Amino acid sequence: MQNRIMITGAGSGLGREIALRWAREGWRLALSDVSEAGLQETLGLVREAGGDGFTQRCDVRDYSQLTALAQACEVKFGGIDVIVNNAGVASGGFFSELSLEDWEWQIAINLMGVVKGCKAFLPLLEQSKGKIINIASMAALMQGPAMSNYNVAKAGVVALSESLLIELAQEEIGVHVVCPSFFQTNLLDSFRGPTPAMKAQVGKLLESSPITASDIADYIYQRVAEGEFMILPHEQGRMAWALKQKNPQLLYDEMTVMANKMRAKARQSSQ
């Protein structure tokens, strides 16, 4: 382990906080994002925190950009030890309102972006016996209403991570999947949905969270060190997951009530 880490979506939010958490341990970082301005800002903060590295613009929908990033890691760092597939976008809307384009956009970034990240970096991770950290969401486990395309994409990230955990054990590559709930982040900047009301509702949930992206990054750092596979940073999330495992129908009933309330609210705001 030579303390070399690659993070997608590192230009802001959780990606930036993960970069800073590892930077404080003196790691070298390969930072990627579609926002070059955000990347430069993150790199400055990383250096202040005691780390160093380089930035490279990368759209995770484009596999050739991810393989180019892997090549850059090989040239500049001689390889990679940890990859964090964090780049993601938010969306919401009831299934009947979501277009197929909404589905394709969501899955191309939030699911296939992670698949492509794992694929592009696997040869380097086989050499270093490194680790994969995939950022999913509690939405992958809870399937809240009015976000089916997001739920499906993130559930795919969990299923991919479970598959890799089993397949890569013999290669001695560690795999971790992180499922945060709502937290204070700039996720709304990328939000795509059919109604402004939905965006406002998600915004309220993000703002009311007691936990910050920095808290989550710290929790991830600790749990990865302990070798935990499924990392659930929110206490409420851990409780909800335990409830679903014990009594899934109870959770479905609660979600149905929530969906009905959301529909009623949406109707009121459109009148």
Side-chain angles (χ1 to χ4, degrees):
M1 187 72 75
Q2 292 180 38
N3 294 4
R4 305 160 299 187
I5 186 169
M6 184 287 294
I7 304 164
T8 64
S12 62
L14 181 59
R16 174 177 286 175
E17 294 301 333
I18 291 170
L20 293 177
R21 183 64 190 85
W22 264 258
R24 287 200 289 276
E25 308 299 324
W27 281 56
R28 290 182 289 164
L29 297 97
L31 306 167
S32 82
D33 201 289
V34 288
S35 163
E36 294 197 42
L39 282 175
Q40 289 313 313
E41 211 173 294
T42 301
L43 184 60
L45 293 166
V46 155
R47 286 176 174 153
E48 282 171 28
D52 200 6
F54 71 95
T55 66
Q56 190 159 313
R57 189 188 182 279
C58 179
D59 184 334
V60 295
R61 289 174 290 187
D62 183 347
Y63 185 61
S64 68
Q65 291 185 32
L66 281 158
T67 54
L69 181 62
Q71 283 167 351
C73 290
E74 195 163 17
V75 169
K76 294 177 184 189
F77 293 166
I80 205 78
D81 300 293
V82 177
I83 67 163
V84 185
N85 290 303
N86 164 73
V89 288
S91 64
F94 285 102
F95 182 75
S96 57
E97 302 164 333
L98 292 168
S99 67
L100 287 179
E101 287 74 21
D102 290 332
W103 274 89
E104 283 160 7
W105 175 77
Q106 178 60 236
I107 285 171
I109 299 169
N110 281 8
L111 175 54
M112 288 311 298
V114 177
V115 171
K116 290 171 183 175
C118 292
K119 192 87 178 153
F121 279 85
L122 186 58
L124 293 182
L125 292 168
E126 285 171 341
Q127 287 169 26
S128 64
K129 310 289 184 202
K131 297 181 196 299
I132 294 170
I133 303 172
N134 292 330
I135 308 298
S137 166
M138 280 308 294
L141 307 176
M142 295 292 115
Q143 290 85 44
M147 48 200 286
S148 56
N149 59 344
Y150 186 79
N151 293 341
V152 168
K154 291 296 191 178
V157 173
V158 171
L160 169 70
S161 304
E162 289 174 331
S163 304
L164 294 177
L165 174 74
I166 296 154
E167 285 189 29
L168 300 178
Q170 206 173 0
E171 307 279 350
E172 295 175 66
I173 295 172
V175 180
H176 309 268
V177 66
V178 184
C179 295
S181 307
F182 289 106
F183 60 94
Q184 295 154 27
T185 179
N186 63 334
L187 200 58
L188 275 195
D189 296 351
S190 67
F191 186 90
R192 184 159 151 177
T195 62
M198 192 67 67
K199 185 170 181 173
Q201 280 183 3
V202 174
K204 276 182 193 159
L205 287 167
L206 294 174
E207 282 166 24
S208 65
S209 168
I211 190 168
T212 65
S214 174
D215 297 330
I216 291 172
D218 196 47
Y219 190 84
I220 295 168
Y221 185 87
Q222 291 166 18
R223 296 296 162 149
V224 166
E226 286 164 24
E228 190 167 280
F229 167 68
M230 174 91 70
I231 299 172
L232 309 178
H234 290 71
E235 194 180 348
Q236 276 183 310
R238 295 192 286 275
M239 285 159 62
W241 178 229
L243 167 71
K244 185 177 181 180
Q245 288 174 297
K246 202 171 166 182
N247 188 346
Q249 190 57 50
L250 194 62
L251 193 85
Y252 301 145
D253 293 344
E254 271 187 42
M255 290 293 186
T256 306
V257 171
M258 195 194 292
N260 293 339
K261 281 183 186 166
M262 286 170 82
R263 282 188 197 279
K265 216 178 219 180
R267 275 197 293 271
Q268 278 173 356
S269 62
S270 64
Q271 282 166 6

